[in-house]
């Protein structure tokens, strides 16, 4: 064959091969072309996608934006995909080295069948079940944009003063520690680190009796250290209602009540116009000077097809009898809970405004940013063991809720805007009075 004809044949064959590859593998910059209304017609199709890898509850996930791994609210559907490892006989591939790094993944589209993801598809829609079975995964770069949370095994090394100063239980102190987490792919381990560490601090340093701390978490099982911070109820409708009944039996007019609401939250995000809350049907959030976008904020259960609203949370809390209430509210849009939960003898600290998502403490994502700084303020030590702090503004030896917020408001991440309220008007602030109720309230 003539050399020119041989080259032409080679060129035509190469083009055909390349074209054939393109027909079988679609390369995407984001996931909007996958998560369409008819995504199921593409099941089995090979895609190549890029993103930032994470693993939660044994389920892989890639984010279009690495910041979304640290957000305590739902991720927009076109910004993430579930990732499933190859089916192998001899071993399960270890992807821990990919966590927090940008990767390129080639694989086939499938339907996620994890029971909790299937259940919560009733909230987020059928495309939320789209996943990729990996045939090939490679680094795009080696930069670590976030880190995998660790198990807190060294509490007393981090908080030696707390462990050395265990005080006798005060029976008038009662606590509720709540975290749902949505489903197995969204229940970040930082939520358990928050609860476990707070539980230890409340008992060891502030005299809360073990039996007076009610933990409502995920499926009702601790991630670790179950002997030190036992979970009492699952984060379901029935579990939360049972927890409230349990609390009522322990509380009275002289009770100091600490309420920690953790995990994801939904609402209206003004920066994007995204709506993750529900319509405010009774228009009870309307107040002077605030455009509420006709939205009720929501909190998530675990493995449940429903959510509960700010109104519902307030109604549940208002069935409890207590003298003083301290509310630490960490989910996205938690500033919107202040309007509903405020009242006489209550101090409320929220992770952000009514209209913004809030985040984990970077870069480790071992704790929520609000809880990291709150625990540092009340104990005098950062919960990652990185050093001591001094939030005691008047040097009286105790940190009030006012002083704790002042510390939080200086040290929080710049994209979160923590809120405070200690009077019954329902309007949160970032500049509380130094002589308000919170200056006299201590854990």
């Amino acid at each position: 064959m003539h050399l020119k004809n041989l080259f032409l044949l080679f060129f035509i064959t190469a083009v055909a091969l390349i074209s054939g590859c393109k027909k079988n593998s679609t390369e995407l910059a984001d996931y909007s072309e996958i998560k369409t209304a008819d995504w199921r017609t593409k099941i089995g199709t090979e895609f190549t996608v890029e993103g930032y890898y994470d693993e939660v509850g044994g389920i892989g996930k890639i984010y279009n934006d690495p910041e979304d791994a640290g957000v305590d609210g739902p991720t927009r559907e076109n910004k993430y995909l579930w990732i499933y490892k190859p089916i192998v006989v001899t071993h399960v591939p270890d992807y821990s080295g990919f966590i927090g790094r940008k990767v390129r993944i080639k694989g086939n589209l499938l339907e996620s069948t994890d029971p909790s993801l299937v259940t919560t598809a009733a909230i987020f829609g059928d495309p939320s079940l789209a996943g990729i079975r990996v045939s090939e995964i490679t680094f795009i770069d080696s930069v670590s944009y976030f880190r995998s949370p660790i198990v807190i095994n060294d509490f007393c090394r981090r908080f030696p003063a707390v462990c050395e100063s265990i005080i006798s239980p005060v029976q008038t102190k009662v606590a509720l520690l709540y975290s749902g987490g949505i489903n197995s792919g969204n229940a970040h381990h930082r939520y358990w680190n928050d609860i476990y560490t707070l539980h230890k601090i409340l008992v060891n340093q502030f005299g809360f009796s073990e039996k007076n701390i009610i933990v409502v978490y995920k499926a009702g099982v601790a991630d670790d250290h179950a002997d030190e911070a036992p979970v009492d109820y699952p984060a379901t409708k029935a579990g939360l209602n049972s927890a409230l009944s349990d609390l009522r039996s322990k509380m009275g007019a002289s009770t100091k009540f600490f309420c920690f609401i953790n995990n994801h939250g939904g609402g209206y995000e003004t920066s994007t116009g995204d709506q993750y809350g529900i319509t405010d049907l009774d228009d009870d959030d309307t107040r002077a000077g605030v455009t509420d976008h006709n939205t009720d904020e929501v909190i998530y259960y675990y493995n449940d097809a429903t959510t509960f609203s700010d109104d519902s949370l307030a109604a549940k809390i208002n069935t409890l009898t207590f003298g003083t209430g301290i509310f630490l509210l960490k989910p996205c849009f938690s500033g919107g809970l202040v309007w509903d939960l405020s009242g006489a003898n209550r101090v409320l600290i929220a992770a952000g405004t009514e209209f913004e998502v809030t985040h984990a403490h970077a870069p480790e994502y071992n704790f929520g940013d609000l809880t990291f700084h709150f625990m540092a303020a009340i104990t005098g030590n950062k919960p990652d063991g990185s050093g001591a702090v001094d939030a005691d503004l008047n040097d009286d030896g105790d940190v009030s809720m006012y002083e704790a917020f002042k510390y939080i408001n200086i040290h929080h991440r710049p994209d979160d805007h923590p809120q405070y309220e200690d009077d019954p008007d329902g309007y949160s602030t970032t500049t509380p009075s130094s002589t308000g109720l919170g200056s006299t309230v201590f854990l």
Side-chain angles (χ1 to χ4, degrees):
M1 182 179 291
H2 192 278
L3 182 62
K4 182 177 181 180
N5 291 336
L6 184 63
F7 175 80
L8 181 61
L9 178 62
F10 172 80
F11 177 77
I12 293 172
T13 302
V15 168
L17 287 172
I18 294 171
S19 300
C21 290
K22 286 187 175 180
K23 287 180 181 177
N24 293 328
S25 179
T26 304
E27 186 165 352
L28 303 170
D30 62 26
Y31 322 124
S32 57
E33 291 185 33
I34 294 177
K35 289 194 167 183
T36 57
D38 63 345
W39 73 276
R40 288 180 177 275
T41 64
K42 306 168 193 170
I43 289 177
T45 301
E46 183 179 80
F47 289 96
T48 299
V49 294
E50 296 179 0
Y52 302 85
Y53 185 76
D54 195 14
E55 281 187 20
V56 178
I59 296 178
K61 192 176 189 180
I62 56 168
Y63 294 96
N64 190 244
D65 181 346
E67 281 291 304
D68 284 334
V71 171
D72 290 329
T75 307
R76 193 186 305 173
E77 285 302 314
N78 68 332
K79 296 181 71 178
Y80 78 93
L81 279 169
W82 302 118
I83 299 299
Y84 293 88
K85 297 174 183 179
I87 298 175
V88 292
V89 177
T90 57
H91 73 287
V92 177
D94 180 6
Y95 285 179
S96 60
F98 293 110
I99 292 175
R101 293 173 167 84
K102 191 172 186 181
V103 298
R104 180 176 293 111
I105 291 174
K106 180 185 289 187
N108 299 95
L109 184 64
L110 55 72
E111 174 191 0
S112 300
T113 57
D114 176 271
S116 68
L117 301 185
V118 173
T119 298
T120 55
I123 301 174
F124 301 111
D126 187 58
S128 68
L129 295 175
I132 297 288
R133 175 78 70 188
V134 177
S135 60
E136 182 180 315
I137 180 170
T138 55
F139 283 113
I140 291 178
D141 64 47
S142 60
V143 175
S144 178
Y145 292 87
F146 54 87
R147 300 173 193 167
S148 179
I150 64 170
V151 175
I152 304 301
N153 284 320
D154 52 356
F155 180 85
C156 287
R157 183 185 66 79
R158 295 166 185 267
F159 294 103
V162 174
C163 289
E164 293 167 4
S165 60
I166 298 175
I167 64 175
S168 299
V170 179
Q171 296 308 317
T172 55
K173 293 184 176 183
V174 175
L176 169 65
L177 308 181
Y178 175 88
S179 181
I182 301 180
N183 52 42
S184 58
N186 281 293
H188 299 285
H189 187 69
R190 64 178 178 265
Y191 301 148
W192 177 250
N193 282 345
D194 284 341
I195 284 180
Y196 167 70
T197 309
L198 267 174
H199 188 284
K200 297 282 283 187
I201 291 169
L202 292 177
V203 171
N204 290 2
Q205 185 161 344
F206 294 101
F208 282 73
S209 169
E210 292 268 7
K211 67 180 182 181
N212 282 349
I213 300 177
I214 303 300
V215 177
V216 183
Y217 181 71
K218 229 161 86 174
V221 179
D223 283 5
D224 49 68
H225 303 301
D227 57 328
E228 298 179 54
V231 175
D232 299 287
Y233 301 99
T236 60
K237 287 190 288 290
L240 181 55
N241 288 336
S242 295
L244 290 163
S245 295
D246 200 346
L247 287 167
R248 289 187 201 103
S249 70
K250 303 175 184 295
M251 299 172 72
S254 62
T255 298
K256 179 174 290 183
F257 176 48
F258 177 72
C259 178
F260 174 49
I261 304 296
N262 200 3
N263 94 103
H264 299 276
Y268 184 89
E269 186 178 358
T270 53
S271 65
T272 62
D274 288 335
Q275 168 64 275
Y276 300 111
I278 59 176
T279 302
D280 181 12
L281 296 175
D282 57 8
D283 202 30
D284 67 324
D285 285 350
T286 299
R287 65 266 196 202
V290 177
T291 302
D292 67 358
H293 299 279
N294 199 35
T295 298
D296 274 333
E297 288 73 43
V298 297
I299 305 296
Y300 293 93
Y301 295 111
Y302 180 80
N303 189 22
D304 199 294
T306 62
T307 62
F308 61 100
S309 70
D310 51 1
D311 296 345
S312 177
L313 175 61
K316 293 176 186 296
I317 294 299
N318 290 337
T319 66
L320 304 175
T321 300
F322 52 89
T324 302
I326 300 169
F327 295 83
L328 189 65
L329 310 169
K330 197 177 76 62
C332 290
F333 314 102
S334 52
L337 304 179
V338 170
W339 174 257
D340 303 273
L341 288 173
S342 63
N345 298 318
R346 298 184 185 188
V347 180
L348 302 99
I349 300 174
T353 72
E354 183 172 357
F355 305 114
E356 69 178 358
V357 298
T358 53
H359 300 82
H361 184 70
E364 293 86 0
Y365 294 175
N366 282 329
F367 304 93
D369 196 63
L370 175 70
T371 40
F372 181 93
H373 295 303
F374 179 78
M375 291 187 287
I378 62 175
T379 65
N381 289 278
K382 295 178 183 179
D384 63 355
S386 62
V389 308
D390 184 6
D392 185 5
L393 298 177
N394 60 5
D395 294 321
D396 66 351
D398 293 305
V399 175
S400 69
M401 293 303 98
Y402 164 78
E403 290 172 318
F405 179 77
K406 292 291 287 185
Y407 176 85
I408 292 165
N409 206 33
I410 292 171
H411 295 91
H412 68 84
R413 21 182 317 158
D415 45 356
D416 291 358
H417 301 88
Q419 302 292 301
Y420 179 92
E421 161 73 315
D422 66 359
D423 61 50
D425 70 2
Y427 286 84
S428 63
T429 182
T430 58
T431 56
S433 169
S434 61
T435 59
L437 173 68
S439 66
T440 66
V441 173
F442 306 83
L443 274 171

